[in-house]
Amino acid sequence: MFIIENQVSGRIFQTEGRDNILNDALTHGLNFPYGCQKGFCGKCKATIIEGEVGYKGEIPSGITPEEVEKGMALLCQCRAKSDVALVVAELDGVADIEVRTLPCKVQSIKHLNHDVAQVFLKIPDSESLQYLAGQYIDLIHPDFEPRAFSIANAPSNTSLIELHVRLIEDGKFTNFVFNELQEKALLKIEGPKGVFYFREKSEKPIILVAGGTGFGPVKAMVEHAIETKSKQTIHIYWGARDEKDLYTDLPKQWAKSHENISFIPVLSQANSAWKGRTGYVHESVLVDFEYLVDYEVYACGPPAMVKAVADTFVKRGMFKEDFFSDAFEFAFEGGAL
Ligand code: FES
């Protein structure tokens, strides 16, 4: 087992040296930059400060002999042959990530409850989509306008995209996904998009507020935090109408197995059998936290919920800079975000 250390971020992971260093890094939740993953584009280039790496065959075309001489390597093509210390700038913002249009195939569609479907899209092996946890893609079908969906899985899997699609009564596209879309169907995606993503450098405790399928990007963020072994305290609040709208047990399981994660479901139209919290989800947070000065807040869900979170949390001391939402057009009361 070898230890790989990125001297820029100080992050460390272990590898058996069987896979390329880029894949190992992504599996451990490190956002190393990449493009083609074929050795052509050079986007995964890093400087090896210490240790030995090797390529399977010839040196790939994405790096020059002079660069190899200087100690540089293409991480998508080389494996560790010893402990390695390297230097590479991990992605920490969306500016460096290329928005791409890619073909994809529907791998599976599973109905998680009466009105939410989990859709897995497979990107061809020759391609990959790099994104940050929390971002979204546009799903493209020739018969419909492109529709935005948040990516619901962590970025460590570069070829599989998970979406949570809620059936909207008069929504042609979501009705199509629910009733006509078949496994193996071919679609396109464009992305990644959006500035709603997990800020990894912060050490502040986090409050994640999700409404309905707003749980999708929250899932991507928490999975990413777990993969990176983040010690940040994470409070998850998930608001829904009634119990059947809480379409997965995952947050309960996270809270059980990680002491830095807590989970509180909140129902706005609970029946009498419900023993948990009731009311609007943001109100539950306000009951639990008198001051929000020290917290980072991520809110994802219906615009009215996001607005209620922003307006009321600011009054409890939350800094506007510590608030992140996926609402596309949103402004704090009395001023732009
Ligand atoms: S990602 Fe293109 S050369 Fe490595």
Side-chain angles (χ1 to χ4, degrees), residues 70-295:
K70 281 186 198 153
M72 298 178 93
L74 290 183
L75 300 186
C76 75
Q77 298 298 308
C78 69
R79 293 153 202 245
K81 292 187 151 183
S82 69
D83 290 351
V84 171
L86 52 81
V87 168
V88 65
E90 287 170 41
L91 299 178
D92 185 42
V94 292
D96 299 333
I97 302 181
E98 189 187 354
V99 175
R100 309 179 67 200
T101 303
L102 295 170
C104 60
K105 192 187 267 183
V106 177
Q107 175 157 305
S108 65
I109 306 173
K110 183 179 169 192
H111 288 204
L112 298 177
N113 70 359
H114 63 294
D115 70 351
V116 176
Q118 177 190 46
V119 180
F120 278 103
L121 303 173
K122 176 89 177 72
I123 294 168
D125 290 339
S126 56
E127 302 284 358
S128 55
L129 183 76
Q130 183 157 34
Y131 61 94
L132 298 176
Q135 286 193 284
Y136 71 91
I137 48 111
D138 280 334
L139 192 55
I140 301 167
H141 184 284
D143 296 343
F144 303 96
E145 287 290 308
R147 277 290 315 273
F149 291 100
S150 292
I151 303 170
N153 54 336
S156 52
N157 190 331
T158 61
S159 64
L160 210 55
I161 299 292
E162 177 183 349
L163 308 177
H164 295 174
V165 180
R166 189 167 80 81
L167 179 65
I168 298 166
E169 216 169 291
D170 298 324
K172 286 186 186 145
F173 194 91
T174 60
N175 267 285
F176 168 76
V177 170
F178 256 72
N179 302 317
E180 291 174 53
L181 188 64
Q182 301 285 331
E183 288 175 8
K184 299 203 171 106
L186 296 176
L187 298 166
K188 280 186 183 165
I189 56 172
E190 186 178 275
K193 296 185 174 182
V195 293
F196 183 66
Y197 64 90
F198 191 57
R199 269 65 176 176
E200 294 189 36
K201 283 194 178 151
S202 170
E203 289 178 359
K204 286 186 170 184
I206 295 168
I207 298 173
L208 300 173
V209 188
T213 47
F215 175 73
V218 163
K219 173 178 173 290
M221 290 181 183
V222 177
E223 283 180 350
H224 183 70
I226 291 172
E227 282 175 0
T228 54
K229 300 192 169 43
S230 167
K231 293 280 174 284
Q232 272 172 289
T233 303
I234 300 176
H235 304 281
I236 306 166
Y237 288 79
W238 188 7
R241 280 160 303 180
D242 57 40
E243 209 171 345
K244 65 181 186 308
D245 294 322
L246 301 170
Y247 53 82
T248 169
D249 270 347
L250 266 178
K252 228 189 254 177
Q253 293 168 24
W254 294 329
K256 235 187 218 172
S257 49
H258 300 274
E259 56 185 26
N260 59 324
I261 298 177
S262 69
F263 170 54
I264 298 199
V266 185
L267 300 184
S268 60
Q269 294 170 23
N271 63 30
S272 54
W274 174 249
K275 302 267 185 291
R277 303 273 187 100
T278 56
Y280 289 120
V281 63
H282 71 282
E283 292 168 347
S284 243
V285 180
L286 295 172
V287 167
D288 294 343
F289 297 88
E290 203 173 343
Y291 301 110
L292 291 164
V293 179
D294 294 326
Y295 292 86

Side-chain angles (χ1 to χ4, degrees), residues 4-13 30 32 86 88 90:
I4 312 290
E5 179 188 359
N6 181 8
Q7 293 196 336
V8 177
S9 64
R11 292 166 116 184
I12 285 172
F13 61 91
L30 280 72
F32 279 19
L86 52 81
V88 65
E90 287 170 41

Side-chain angles (χ1 to χ4, degrees), residues 22 33-45 60 62 74-77:
L22 174 68
Y34 66 85
C36 66
Q37 290 190 278
K38 297 276 166 215
F40 303 138
C41 72
K43 283 192 183 156
C44 62
K45 222 173 271 172
L74 290 183
L75 300 186
C76 75
Q77 298 298 308

